[in-house]
Amino acid sequence: MANIMIRKNAEGGLVFYLPKRDIEDNITSIEFDAPEKWGGELKLANGGVYYIDPIPAPARLPISLRAKRLDGVE
Amino acid sequence: MQTIDKIKPCFPLFQEPEYKELMASKRANFEEMPSKEKVAETFAWTTTLEYQELNFKREALSINPAKVCQPLGGALCGLGFEKTMVYIHGSQGCVAYFRTFFNRHFKEPIAFIADSMTEDAAVFGGQKNVHEGLQNATKLYDAKMIAVCTTCIAEVIGDDLGAFIGNARKEGYLDKDFPVPYANTPSFVGSHITGWDNMWEGIAKYFTSMEGKSVGSNGKINIVPGFETYLGNYRVIKRILNEMGVEYSMLCDPSEVLDTPATGEYNMYAGGTTIDEMKDAPNAITTLFMQPTTLEKSRKYVEGVWNHEAPKINPPMGVEWTDEFLMKISELTGKAIPESLNIERGRLIDMMTDSHAWLHGKKMAVFGDPDFLLGLVKFMMELGIEPTHIVCTNSNKRWEKAMKKLLESSPYGVHGKTYGGADLWHLRSLCFTDKPDFVIGSSYGKTIQRDTLHKGPEFEVPLIRLGFPIFDRHHLHRMTTLGYEGAMYILTTLTNAVLERLDEQTKYMGDTDYNFDVVR
Amino acid sequence: MSEELTRERAQALIEEVLEVYPEKAKKDRAKHLMVNDKAITQSKKCITSNRKSLPGVMTQRGCAYAGSKGVVWGPIKDIIDISHGPVGCGAYSRGGRRNYFAGTSGVDSFCDINFTSDFQEKDVVFGGDKKLAKLIDELEMLFPLSKGISVQSECPVGLIGDDIEAVSKKKAAEIGKTIVPVRCEGFRGVSQSLGHHIANDAVRDWILSARDEQPFEGTPYDVCILGDYNIGGDAWASRILLEEMGLRVVAQWSGDGTLTEMENTPKVKLNLLHCYRSMNYIARHMEEKYNIPWMEYNFFGPTKIKESLREIASHFDEKIQEGAERVIAKYTPIMDAVIAKYRPRLEGKKVMLYVGGLRPRHTVGAYEDLGMEVVGAGYEFAHNDDYDRTMKDMKDATLIYDDVTGYEFEEFVRQLKPDLIGSGIKEKYAFHKMAVPFRQLHSWDYSGPYHGFDGFAIFARDMDMTVNNPCWSLFKAPWQKPAAAEPEQKAA
């Protein structure tokens, strides 16, 4: 588990940031993206796959969360 | 805004009205700094005797101490040996600082390496770093010797450096015979001069034993310079001994590596004392320590192990102490003092007669390393200058006694007062409450000049740069302060500082320029 | 002039340089050297960074203390930084960085003074907390106008188990000022970089929210400059442009900055981030906590400055956008004149850079404005997010080196024969010996500012004076010169 931050980029897309590993990349897909349930598996442009516990969609971004690495580059 | 004909760097760019306004409006609108009046009032208070008393009550806080830490001295010592790589066991940041400090003073490349201990090494000890570090260093730097000293991280966790190096040999990280002398140089003990002493002792210990040695058999005099940053001082001592026809060993000589020519190729090494010379050192007639109060460990080793008498001499600065030095050499070797040195002495005395009127009775405060201060104060008094505040952050009891005795030996010493362990914030107070005409010391004295000027032009105490480090003037590290030659340099520096100052004060047309003389 | 640098040649050069290392070191160093390929967007695939330096190999890096005290905290002018521990660190980090401030030193500003607890053996054995508490009282007695104090930990502090946090809290309550304990011991992390992060976190935890509940007279045009340390006055040369375009700069972090400015920063509308490496942490934090967007900008060289001004303006209304155009129009003639004067003297010159965590990529545009080409670039303490940004800005086949060792850098220079190197003082004099013109790009070589339009004029002047100074052509005595040798330097 690692601390990550999810923020919006200028184009409105989601950006994943993992400070400890200097990973900053666009999120290409998010498993749950509904007001009541948001999160789950995150796929990154670099091929990395992370998991965050689903939560109600945050009122605004950025948000700091804990994430687990499932697959892909480190 | 810039103009193409005169592109202005920070000064005078920020004197332009738009920048003055920018800074003023930043201060007024965003900084919540105290009012101008409050600042002025507080500044004035910092110049008072009342403030000085509070300032001297400090016990825990050190402000602008005129010293740095041990490994810097250890590193300079290692640098003085032939093809020697200085290796510092501990944090890498320290080594970046040491290199930078010397870069700024000598304007030369400085090659030291670290074994980059980090958090895990702090927990598990630094043996792995020593092993890998020595392996890489011996492979990469084509050194004949690696001189190891330590930073405080290794000292605090209690790394056993000797054992680590021994294990490195056993486990094949380091050739069995590759010379790796070492010293413990904890930053929380002593200062840079202590570190020099420790490293020199470490090198002497590593290379010398009395087996097959006999004092006097090589007919040489050993010179141990101590933490010496004036390159001319290495050169002048060698020249004196050459002129006297005395064989000598300069035991630590970085005067080449710190002054290599620009040729198009960078050479990491140049000159330096050879290992053979060091090994042969116990065979010398005796050993002379150029810094009498601060090389205790090295002296003990030389006296105890080499059985050298190592006569106690004063630093050969100024006239009489250089005389003493020459007579001592003559006495030890039976060689006469040659006419060339007599002529040189005569020239110095001649210069003193020429300049005395500008120096006599001038009051000067000084700060710096202990033995440098001894020699400087001695020569100042020979010139008729009256030393006033004598600040030595890295002082010791021997030095304090010696300085007291020295001041008592001359009528010009009556105003001299020693402040052992004091720092430059103490000296700042003293320069306000009992103003000297000048302050002599390293570049760090320049804030005293600025601060005193801020009180008003009549309070300004100009800085004369003699000592270490000198970052803000070029090439002064190449000069000489020892011997008659060194006295000539000091005399020239002091006299012209006095004359420059007089010009500065008298250059105003129709006002003070009656004393703005073209002949002086 | 050296031959064109191709990818093959650069790669061969890397292989050649690696030959000298022992096996383990070779394997490690290989990961830190690469040839740029713009097709790759993820630097992680081709370069490793922010890892431990090899023991016994000459790194140019510093430590966490240098990153915290030296870089981030040192420039805040009304806070006294205590170098807490042995005497060296405070002395070595004094005065060399040239982070300018406007104030009365020793009264309301403290940047150029070394305050230290000068640890002795007994402090290491018995702990330094009591000394620290006493020291804070003494500071308060002698420097009543200071706004706050920071405790910058040196190596021993973290090893002997001192509780500087407890002391700081207790004394802060007693004297009624901000006191910030900073755990920036030099052994933490692998370079200055962790020190920046630790310093950011300390500001976040002990300063940033101090005025959250207080009213603030804001405007829609409030911004903050993050990551400008006012080297040679950089921040002033930047601030002037932002003000001229109609923005209100509430805070400068941290060059010529004050505690008040930091405390007011959460009220701004936009954070402008110059040195990404050392202050992205606090920018991200403010984005999350205070909903303040941030953007990176680049004030080196007219091309990048113009781009940046327009991008900054795009976050605001038409008034500001017009302001940006007005500023650009105002300075364009002088920038054109600078380029007309210096570009012909510098055109085609090759540059190699090795600096901290930002400038190797940020100054490329300025060199290009002068017609110069960057053929090699590297960082002391960058992370992969820096290299991601770098690879985009560099040409293909540019040599890229991370935490380069003295030996590697010298070899690269011997082979690539650049006309100018921009790096630090530890590197400077070795390259002087090698007859390679050199400018310090940490301290601006005692010149500057280099930021902003005013700064670019100085930058151009300085690069020219160093590249074209006659000294470089005098290295060989006449009797040493081969008969056919041609003078390499243009007359000044």
Side-chain angles (χ1 to χ4, degrees), chain B residues 19 26 32 59 120 260, chain C residues 52 134 147 256 433 454:
Chain B
Y19 279 105
K26 177 173 184 289
E32 295 182 355
E59 289 173 349
D120 52 341
T260 61
Chain C
K52 273 190 227 176
K134 188 174 204 178
K147 290 290 181 58
D256 193 43
K433 304 285 180 198
D454 282 345

Side-chain angles (χ1 to χ4, degrees), chain B residues 168-428:
Chain B
R169 291 187 202 283
K170 262 186 243 154
E171 292 168 34
Y173 295 99
L174 179 66
D175 282 353
K176 279 207 161 43
D177 307 319
F178 190 90
V180 184
Y182 66 92
N184 292 95
T185 49
S187 305
F188 43 82
V189 176
S191 71
H192 53 287
I193 52 179
T194 324
W196 198 98
D197 188 28
N198 282 333
M199 189 74 240
W200 193 91
E201 188 216 20
I203 292 172
K205 247 186 197 163
Y206 188 89
F207 289 111
T208 63
S209 69
M210 287 313 282
E211 226 182 277
K213 304 278 163 53
S214 140
V215 176
S217 60
N218 73 10
K220 291 181 173 179
I221 298 286
N222 293 330
I223 302 290
V224 179
F227 187 92
E228 175 60 74
T229 54
Y230 278 100
L231 301 184
N233 285 346
Y234 297 95
R235 293 169 181 157
V236 75
I237 296 298
K238 291 190 278 189
R239 177 171 64 81
I240 287 172
L241 295 170
N242 283 334
E243 286 183 27
M244 291 182 74
V246 171
E247 300 266 314
Y248 62 86
S249 292
M250 180 65 75
L251 298 179
C252 183
D253 182 2
S255 64
E256 293 295 313
V257 73
L258 290 173
D259 201 14
T260 61
T263 58
E265 262 309 306
Y266 164 50
N267 294 307
M268 205 175 262
Y269 308 108
T273 307
T274 64
I275 290 174
D276 286 344
E277 215 169 352
M278 196 66 199
K279 283 182 174 165
D280 187 43
N283 287 327
I285 298 168
T286 194
T287 301
L288 293 177
F289 292 86
M290 308 307 281
Q291 299 182 353
T293 72
T294 54
L295 293 167
E296 277 307 288
K297 266 195 164 173
S298 302
R299 166 178 288 279
K300 227 181 206 161
Y301 188 83
V302 166
E303 289 173 352
V305 179
W306 295 0
N307 294 317
H308 285 194
E309 191 207 342
K312 292 200 163 78
I313 55 163
N314 289 308
M317 276 173 89
V319 182
E320 290 176 341
W321 284 1
T322 301
D323 295 346
E324 272 180 37
F325 177 73
L326 300 184
M327 289 189 291
K328 179 55 82 178
I329 301 274
S330 177
E331 175 198 320
L332 291 167
T333 60
K335 306 269 185 177
I337 299 168
E339 183 56 16
S340 61
L341 291 173
N342 202 25
I343 291 173
E344 191 178 338
R345 184 184 190 279
R347 287 181 179 138
L348 168 62
I349 305 302
D350 185 62
M351 288 168 72
M352 290 167 71
T353 62
D354 297 342
S355 304
H356 77 271
W358 295 107
L359 297 173
H360 188 100
K362 287 278 178 301
K363 289 193 166 59
M364 300 195 189
V366 291
F367 67 92
D369 285 342
D371 293 306
F372 178 74
L373 288 178
L374 274 179
L376 185 60
V377 164
K378 168 68 179 158
F379 184 47
M380 283 161 72
M381 296 195 303
E382 289 176 340
L383 293 167
I385 297 171
E386 297 176 23
T388 58
H389 320 298
I390 302 165
V391 167
C392 184
T393 308
N394 48 357
S395 77
N396 59 68
K397 290 237 162 63
R398 285 180 305 282
W399 176 82
E400 279 159 35
K401 250 171 78 184
M403 185 57 91
K404 194 163 172 278
K405 209 175 121 200
L406 174 63
L407 290 169
E408 282 166 359
S409 72
S410 161
Y412 300 96
V414 290
H415 297 295
K417 194 170 170 208
T418 54
Y419 295 90
D423 57 40
L424 298 189
W425 201 255
H426 293 120
L427 183 57
R428 178 186 184 273

Side-chain angles (χ1 to χ4, degrees), chain B residues 48-117:
Chain B
T48 60
L49 204 56
E50 179 199 338
Y51 185 87
Q52 176 174 314
E53 276 160 18
L54 291 174
N55 192 8
F56 273 79
K57 273 192 194 141
R58 274 189 281 138
E59 289 173 349
L61 169 64
S62 194
I63 310 173
N64 296 342
K67 65 171 181 182
V68 283
C69 63
Q70 277 212 51
L72 182 99
L76 182 66
C77 180
L79 205 55
F81 289 84
E82 190 198 24
K83 285 190 93 170
T84 297
M85 177 50 77
V86 171
Y87 176 116
I88 290 155
H89 174 50
S91 299
Q92 72 198 12
C94 312
V95 179
Y97 278 145
F98 307 151
R99 294 174 64 201
T100 301
F101 211 65
F102 283 141
N103 289 142
R104 289 179 178 147
H105 178 77
F106 294 109
K107 317 268 184 247
E108 287 290 316
I110 301 290
F112 301 154
I113 51 180
D115 60 17
S116 303
M117 284 173 72

Side-chain angles (χ1 to χ4, degrees), chain C residues 464-480:
Chain C
D464 172 53
M465 75 162 80
T466 290
V467 168
N468 291 314
N469 187 278
C471 67
W472 309 111
S473 61
L474 296 170
F475 271 58
K476 291 278 177 254
W479 56 90
Q480 290 175 310

